[in-house]
């Protein structure tokens, strides 16, 4: 059973016969996740002796008294004592004297337009704001600097040094250091490329890395990080499963496997001198995921420890550790993906589950929903080297301050690498150090920000400026422009769209009052957490938005129904309507099959065999939740397969959907629900033109939300300035918050 955070949920209780959805659930958030899981649990199996069968049981086949849960979770990892002194203690790495232990890890910011010839203001502001927020070291990805010939594999440019200096100077102004990550790329056919490099080509690669590092140094950069981790080419040279060369760079012995990595470090040191810091990134252990357990030739801890020692001898100043996972590479830096979906802890993305007690040599901590998963691996590498060691892997210091502070204080890690958390809130370090944890915007692990490699748009669920600053929607960039004239703004709706709209409008100088019909704020965030569990921290998001309303001096009124007459009586200058979308009911219960609406599911009345009608993210979340309750679930998706669960990020879909398929969920894509019968649901499969009856006892309607603009239209008809905020085109939490931010910037 899940143990909700006291800080996030308060002390509100819930009875066993409770409905998912509605005002009560929205108010209690995480409590619902715990209470509802109880309603669907079967009684624990009786011990055979207690049930009187011990005498008849074969003596050679003992009957277990308990069932061991795979990857049990310790929900206390989000504790906060108020002490983060270790995280904010200084440290020297090479020639850099860092003011604290927080590092922005390299990841695609996508802030440089294609064909850029100058450093974009977007990139300068993006990294500058992170530096302003207190991060001690910022590592850029190659994409930001490669247009200027400052990274390995790029063509040198006379103007490049001057352009790179712009971003280096901006970061230095905020008392932070700056570096760039180098890699040898991730080829489509790594076995072929690794083994087909000629000796001359390898020597050229080594020299190129040294020359590129020198160009960086001349541009004012403080360090370079050489990536030999995840599934990149340099990592393949280290791997007995990929490297079949027969020359001095082959995998015949330990010396040969690490030779290329060492030569690169030595070349950088030779060209850049002792005052230029060299960071390295390695896999501490590797695990096959697509064919779970087939690890022949994969790197084991002892090999990683040997590599770490050799890198130290070669002149490396620091080692960052990750894990190597070839199928779903996101696990290499985002182990929280393995926990997405309700009770899916350890999901591989291939319908199986890691057993953290055994896989990754039992050295990956899988008990904290992915947070701090690599800390034990960093500790193992630190045992064999004298240079500092750190790790990424959802090192969310907002979410788990005690856990991460203790890891630093105990000497398990020296640096804390973050990316997504700083994208959500660049001021995370400053706020945390100042004791303002409740003001930090939470990362909800949605992974929308890493969607580009899979062909989808990148964005942030919580920070609406990410990927939208300096676009047509947000030409002013990251900063909020003060309102030309302060107005009396009424916001109708206390969900994420309305709360964000109220926050932004107030910060711009308007006088804002928010009205919510229910007795508490949050809208459907409580419902979302009930189905998703605590992994995505919907309760934290609700609490953050509510706290922001307090800080911005937004007056909130709950339990208030708003209609046109009420609006007229209050006399606002502007009304922002954020009442959410609506859903239609298209099916009726039969004598023996119950039809439920997604907004009011009574778990006590759900049959063991369930059909969910709808292919959106809510349908998939509910399916995952019900599977964990022991239900048998099928999904009827009116859309095509490629839009199933489309509102969630492609990375989340890559883990959630295979898990459901493996649990027996049958998805009927391009299918229409036509009739509820006495034994189930009749559907028409459009792809083959045939009808089918799915036997079930419960049908849950989860149609896509449709626009709900009646109120805003009625208000506008009176002559009062009114805007729809997300309710005209409802989609997901990200789109709701984005709509709230954009609309509030325009008034």
């Amino acid at each position: 059973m899940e143990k909700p955070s006291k800080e996030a949920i308060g002390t509100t209780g819930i009875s066993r016969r409770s409905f998912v959805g509605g005002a009560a659930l929205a108010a209690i958030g995480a409590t619902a996740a715990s209470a509802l899981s109880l309603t669907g649990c079967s009684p624990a199996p009786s011990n055979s002796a207690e049930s009187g069968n011990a005498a008849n049981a074969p003596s050679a086949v003992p009957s277990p008294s308990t069932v061991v849960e795979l990857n049990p979770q310790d929900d206390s990892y989000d504790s906060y004592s108020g002490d983060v002194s270790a995280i904010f203690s200084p440290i020297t790495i090479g020639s850099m004297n860092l003011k604290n232990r927080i590092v922005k890890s390299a990841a695609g910011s996508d802030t440089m337009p294609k064909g850029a010839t100058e450093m974009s203001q977007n990139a300068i502001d993006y990294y500058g704001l992170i530096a302003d927020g207190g991060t001690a070291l910022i590592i850029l990805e190659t994409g930001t600097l490669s247009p200027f010939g400052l990274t390995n594999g790029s063509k040198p440019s006379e103007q490049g040094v001057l352009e790179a200096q712009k971003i280096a100077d901006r970061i230095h102004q905020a008392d932070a250091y700056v570096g760039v990550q180098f890699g040898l790329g991730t080829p489509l056919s790594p076995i072929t490329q690794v083994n087909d490099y000629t000796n001359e080509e390898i020597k050229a690669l080594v020299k190129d890395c040294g020359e590129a590092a020198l160009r960086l140094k001349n541009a004012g950069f403080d360090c370079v990080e050489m990536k030999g981790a995840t599934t990149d080419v340099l990592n393949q040279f280290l791997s007995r499963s990929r490297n079949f060369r027969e020359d001095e760079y082959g995998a015949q012995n330990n010396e040969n496997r690490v030779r290329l990595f060492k030569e690169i470090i030595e070349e950088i040191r030779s060209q850049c001198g002792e005052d230029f810091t060299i960071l390295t990134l390695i896999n501490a252990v590797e695990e096959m995921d697509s064919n779970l357990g087939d690890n022949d030739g994969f790197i084991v801890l002892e090999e990683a420890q040997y590599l770490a020692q050799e890198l130290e001898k070669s002149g490396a100043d620091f080692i960052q550790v990750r894990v190597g996972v070839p199928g779903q590479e996101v696990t290499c830096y985002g182990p929280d993906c393995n926990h997405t979906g309700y009770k899916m802890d350890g999901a591989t993305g291939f319908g199986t589950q890691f057993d953290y007690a055994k896989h990754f040599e039992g050295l990956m901590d899988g008990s904290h929903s992915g947070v701090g998963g690599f800390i034990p691996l960093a500790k193992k590498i630190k045992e064999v080297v004298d240079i500092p060691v750190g790790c990424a892997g959802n090192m969310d210091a907002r979410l788990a301050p005690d856990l991460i502070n203790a890891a630093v204080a105990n000497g398990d890690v020296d640096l804390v690498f973050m990316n997504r958390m700083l994208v959500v809130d660049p001021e995370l370090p400053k706020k945390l150090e100042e004791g303002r944890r409740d003001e930090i915007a939470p990362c909800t692990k949605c992974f929308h920000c890493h969607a580009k490699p899979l062909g989808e748009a990148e964005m942030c669920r919580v920070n609406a400026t990410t990927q939208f600053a300096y676009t047509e929607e947000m030409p002013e960039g990251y900063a909020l422009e003060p309102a030309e004239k302060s107005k009396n703004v009424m916001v109708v709706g206390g969900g994420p769209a309305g709360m964000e709209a109220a926050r932004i409008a107030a910060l711009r100088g308007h006088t804002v009052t928010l009205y919510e019909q229910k007795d508490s704020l949050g809208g459907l965030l409580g419902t979302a957490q009930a189905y998703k569990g605590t992994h995505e921290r919907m309760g934290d998001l609700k609490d953050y938005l509510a706290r922001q309303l307090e800080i911005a001096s937004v007056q909130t009124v709950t339990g208030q129904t708003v209609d046109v007459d009420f609006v007229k009586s209050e006399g606002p200058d502007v009304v922002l309507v954020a009442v959410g979308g609506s859903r239609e009911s298209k099916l009726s219960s039969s004598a023996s099959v119950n039809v439920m609406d997604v907004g009011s599911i009574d778990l006590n009345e759900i049959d063991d065999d369930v059909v969910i009608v709808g292919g959106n993210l809510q349908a998939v979340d509910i399916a995952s939740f019900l599977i964990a309750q022991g239900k048998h679930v099928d999904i009827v998706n009116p859309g095509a397969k490629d839009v199933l669960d489309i509102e969630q990020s492609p990375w989340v879909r890559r883990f959630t959907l295979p898990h459901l398929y493996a649990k027996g969920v049958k998805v009927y894509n391009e299918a229409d629900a036509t009739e509820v019968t006495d034994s189930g649901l009749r559907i028409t499969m459009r792809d083959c033109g045939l009808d089918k009856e799915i036997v079930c006892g419960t049908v849950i309607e989860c149609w896509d939300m449709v626009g709900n603009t009646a109120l805003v239209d009625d208000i506008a008809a009176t002559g009062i300035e009114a805007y729809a905020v997300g309710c005209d085109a409802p989609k997901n939490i990200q789109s709701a918050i984005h709509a709230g931010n954009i609309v509030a910037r325009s008034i």
Side-chain angles (χ1 to χ4, degrees), residues 683-703:
I683 67 172
T684 297
M685 299 174 289
R686 296 197 304 274
D687 55 350
C688 67
L690 298 175
D691 290 346
K692 179 180 181 64
E693 185 177 53
I694 308 173
V695 176
C696 65
T698 301
V699 174
I700 298 175
E701 291 186 288
C702 194
W703 309 101

Side-chain angles (χ1 to χ4, degrees), residues 444-460:
T444 59
K445 310 179 187 181
C446 65
F447 265 97
H448 284 296
C449 58
H450 281 70
K452 188 175 181 180
L454 298 181
E456 296 187 18
E458 293 184 341
M459 59 197 70
C460 176

Side-chain angles (χ1 to χ4, degrees), residues 229-410:
T230 60
T231 59
D232 285 26
V233 171
L234 183 53
N235 167 259
Q236 308 306 332
F237 275 88
L238 303 169
S239 175
R240 291 173 286 116
S241 68
R242 299 282 191 175
N243 185 348
F244 306 120
R245 301 178 66 92
E246 296 181 354
D247 61 3
E248 66 268 35
Y249 297 101
Q252 311 93 329
N253 56 58
N254 294 329
E255 293 81 2
N256 283 2
R257 284 207 309 278
V258 303
R259 190 182 306 279
L260 175 57
F261 208 156
K262 289 180 61 179
E263 287 184 352
I264 291 174
I265 301 305
E266 291 165 354
E267 182 70 19
I268 294 173
R269 178 64 67 214
S270 174
Q271 295 213 33
C272 296
E274 294 299 322
D275 61 341
F276 189 70
T277 302
I278 303 174
L279 316 178
T280 58
L281 175 57
I282 68 173
N283 291 341
V285 67
E286 296 178 344
E287 186 73 45
M288 173 62 80
D289 53 351
S290 57
N291 189 21
L292 191 58
D294 184 6
N295 295 321
D296 188 38
F298 277 30
I299 291 174
V300 299
L301 174 64
E302 288 73 15
E303 290 176 287
Q305 289 177 322
Y306 171 80
L307 170 62
Q309 292 172 322
E310 293 300 304
L311 292 176
E312 181 179 20
K313 293 176 185 176
S314 300
D317 297 301
F318 177 84
I319 298 171
Q320 182 194 164
V321 301
R322 291 183 178 176
V323 297
V325 184
Q328 300 288 11
E329 190 191 18
V330 68
T331 296
C332 300
Y333 55 86
D336 42 306
C337 264
N338 303 118
H339 300 262
T340 190
Y342 192 85
K343 295 294 184 182
M344 282 174 46
D345 301 292
T348 64
F350 296 93
T352 53
Q353 283 180 276
F354 293 120
D355 180 350
Y356 290 117
K358 291 292 294 179
H359 295 121
F360 301 102
E361 299 188 42
L363 294 172
M364 187 166 163
D365 188 344
S367 66
H368 302 142
S369 203
V371 176
F374 302 160
I375 291 174
L377 294 163
K379 181 179 180 180
K380 285 293 183 181
I381 297 299
K382 272 183 64 67
E383 290 175 358
V384 299
V385 296
D386 293 323
I387 56 177
V389 177
C391 64
N394 204 238
M395 295 287 281
D396 191 339
R398 178 209 69 86
L399 176 55
D402 286 351
L403 174 72
I404 293 173
N405 192 73
V408 177
N410 296 337

Side-chain angles (χ1 to χ4, degrees), residues 145 149-152 161 164 168 179-182 211-225 272 276:
L145 293 183
L150 285 152
T151 57
N152 61 315
V161 170
V180 180
Q181 184 184 90
F182 283 3
E211 292 175 344
L214 182 58
R215 295 195 295 273
L216 278 176
K217 181 180 179 181
N218 291 336
F221 282 72
D222 306 293
C223 65
V224 65
E225 179 181 66
C272 296
F276 189 70

Side-chain angles (χ1 to χ4, degrees), residues 644-659:
L644 179 66
D645 200 24
I646 193 65
E647 300 90 350
Q648 302 204 76
S649 74
W651 284 118
V652 169
R653 299 197 301 273
R654 282 197 167 199
F655 286 82
T656 303
L657 295 179
H659 177 82

